[in-house]
Amino acid sequence: MTGGAGFLGSHLSEKLLALGHEVLCLDNFYTGTKKNISHLLDNPDFELIRHDVTFPLYVEVDGIFNLACPASPIHYQRNPVQTTKTSIHGAINILGLAKRTGARVLQASTSEVYGDPAVSPQPESYWGNVNPIGIRACYDEGKRAAETLFFDYFRQYQLDIRVARIFNTYGPRMAPDDGRVVSNFIVQALQNKDLTVYGDGSQVRSFCYVDDLVDGLISLFFTESIYEPINLGNPTPINMKELAQEIIALTGSKSQITYLPLPSDDPITREPDITKARKLLDWEPKKSREDGLKTTVSYFQETMK
């Protein structure tokens, strides 16, 4: 698993170990941390290697989850050239490894391949509306190019691929400084600081609790012959002003809401159509946003003591 020490990778590693698999975790610790997987290091079925996927890797595996890439704007815009390299060179190296070993390989793609969509909710058939020269393009276009590589390897080499388009995900082990809206709001609320809403707060997102997302990834990986992208996310939308109000109420915070200009190319809506996931994987999120946010708030309360 590349990116195995990240927020999502650490939860996925835990679940795979619980299912009886051996996990080889790769991470260069650009955004992942050893703290996320420290409780797994004594497990004889878990192995950690410091490695950057922009360089080739020579190991023997029978399954690959390619999660390596900074996923929050503050992190992927800090070094946009490296972000693009991670998506494209990383995909080439991981696909080469899968081709040599005959391993099934899953690409953690993103809802950002849809850009600022003119269609909502977004089905997998939608080609997107991405600015190829904008400040988010290093991530958006990098992930789109990675998908291209995956499907070309499937067509040219009959590689056993899976592609998951992951929508906004939250839960314990999010980094407090990652710039994502849920972690931003919770940290600000717990510190009784103003919650920073960009634009007028009407932009819409859909938030999936990490355990549900992990179940979706595992279901996609182990379901036979799904050679098409699959949306994974929670289809229940909420706008940013409402989310801020929910988190203030959940934390009992004295915070107010402050409005700042909307960042360049920030999508107005992000809402998955999960019809295919329901039909092909028998999967849909189970945890309510209220319950998920309560668990996440409790995590931040403990880590911020």
Side-chain angles (χ1 to χ4, degrees):
M1 184 186 307
T2 70
F7 159 57
L8 183 55
S10 63
H11 285 277
L12 182 56
S13 293
E14 271 183 346
K15 187 61 179 283
L16 288 169
L17 289 167
L19 291 172
H21 298 283
E22 295 181 9
V23 176
L24 177 60
C25 168
L26 273 64
D27 210 294
N28 68 349
F29 299 106
Y30 179 66
T31 56
T33 69
K34 285 186 179 178
K35 182 175 69 173
N36 286 340
I37 44 90
S38 60
H39 60 295
L40 304 177
L41 294 175
D42 290 334
N43 189 321
D45 291 331
F46 182 81
E47 185 178 353
L48 173 64
I49 298 177
R50 183 186 291 266
H51 183 81
D52 189 319
V53 295
T54 61
F55 296 93
L57 176 70
Y58 302 98
V59 293
E60 302 304 318
V61 293
D62 53 17
I64 304 169
F65 287 85
N66 186 32
L67 274 57
C69 192
S72 69
I74 194 172
H75 287 148
Y76 66 65
Q77 290 173 20
R78 184 180 297 158
N79 192 340
V81 172
Q82 187 63 26
T83 297
T84 303
K85 285 181 177 180
T86 299
S87 285
I88 298 176
H89 291 186
I92 290 169
N93 289 329
I94 291 304
L95 287 163
L97 174 63
K99 181 171 176 281
R100 181 181 65 79
T101 60
R104 178 175 295 176
V105 56
L106 181 146
Q107 167 68 4
S109 190
T110 172
S111 61
E112 297 303 318
V113 300
Y114 299 122
D116 187 8
V119 173
S120 194
Q122 294 86 58
E124 292 89 346
S125 57
Y126 179 55
W127 288 0
N129 177 35
V130 175
N131 175 4
I133 59 170
I135 60 171
R136 300 170 69 101
C138 59
Y139 185 68
D140 302 359
E141 295 287 34
K143 290 289 191 176
R144 285 163 69 95
E147 284 197 16
T148 299
L149 284 161
F150 266 69
F151 282 96
D152 282 340
Y153 267 75
F154 164 65
R155 286 183 286 259
Q156 188 168 342
Y157 301 115
Q158 294 75 53
L159 215 62
D160 193 6
I161 66 163
R162 301 289 185 275
V163 173
R165 289 179 178 166
I166 299 172
F167 284 69
N168 295 69
T169 305
Y170 71 100
R173 298 192 203 126
M174 296 183 81
D177 61 348
D178 65 7
R180 302 188 208 199
V181 65
V182 171
S183 49
N184 269 2
F185 283 176
I186 291 175
V187 169
Q188 289 169 338
L190 291 176
Q191 295 174 338
N192 290 307
K193 296 180 178 179
D194 286 353
L195 270 63
T196 306
V197 171
Y198 294 94
D200 62 4
S202 63
Q203 61 270 45
V204 170
R205 297 291 184 271
S206 304
F207 297 97
C208 187
Y209 189 68
V210 64
D211 289 355
D212 286 331
L213 197 283
V214 163
D215 288 344
L217 288 173
I218 289 173
S219 181
L220 174 58
F221 187 85
F222 289 105
T223 300
E224 296 298 321
S225 304
I226 300 186
Y227 302 121
E228 56 186 307
I230 300 293
N231 287 339
L232 294 178
N234 193 311
T236 305
I238 185 173
N239 70 45
M240 295 304 92
K241 183 177 180 181
E242 291 170 338
L243 179 67
Q245 292 168 338
E246 275 191 14
I247 289 175
I248 288 172
L250 277 174
T251 56
S253 176
K254 299 175 183 177
S255 299
Q256 302 296 314
I257 298 175
T258 297
Y259 295 91
L260 295 176
L262 197 65
S264 177
D265 297 329
D266 194 55
I268 300 302
T269 182
R270 181 69 76 237
E271 181 183 346
D273 181 336
I274 62 167
T275 302
K276 284 189 176 181
R278 286 185 171 122
K279 179 181 178 181
L280 299 176
L281 308 179
D282 191 27
W283 174 88
E284 63 181 340
K286 297 175 182 177
K287 195 158 188 125
S288 70
R289 187 174 60 245
E290 181 180 3
D291 287 344
L293 287 174
K294 284 179 179 177
T295 304
T296 308
V297 166
S298 295
Y299 168 79
F300 278 103
Q301 286 172 328
E302 286 298 314
T303 57
M304 290 172 62
K305 282 182 179 178

